[in-house]
Amino acid sequence: MGVTKSEIFSDYQNKLALAARVLGHPARIAILQHLFKTDSCVCGDLVGVIGLAQPTISQHLKELKNLGIIKGNIDGTRVCYCIDTQKWEELKELFAGFLDQTASDKSCC
């Protein structure tokens, strides 16, 4: 297997690629949408809402938390999650910098 040579890419390119990878699963998008819709901390009701098993939900939450766009607080035996609004704004800026690029009007093909 080939080794990913992330060191040859800029910090910006690596951050953008990591964020795209984490956001590249529909379950994670559904989790984020639910957290935004609820607009408060969510404690344990994601299984019923998303429709996946608890271990699967936990893995997706872990990926989102590792990226930093959600926060988790321990409430007894449960962990409650919410959007980290500061990190979310940083993520929006990260993607905007990439998506705001414009291509020339010249036909390439």
Side-chain angles (χ1 to χ4, degrees), residues 17-37 46 49-53 55-70 81-83 88 91:
L18 175 63
R21 183 190 63 77
V22 171
L23 294 175
H25 196 289
R28 295 180 195 146
I29 299 299
I31 289 168
L32 290 170
Q33 287 176 319
H34 180 69
L35 292 175
F36 275 114
K37 185 174 75 174
L46 286 170
V49 172
I50 306 298
L52 297 173
T56 304
I57 294 286
S58 294
Q59 185 61 40
H60 289 302
L61 289 168
K62 179 182 172 188
E63 291 291 328
L64 293 168
K65 191 171 181 187
N66 286 344
L67 185 60
I69 56 177
I70 65 171
Y81 292 96
C82 62
I83 301 291
W88 185 257
L91 185 67

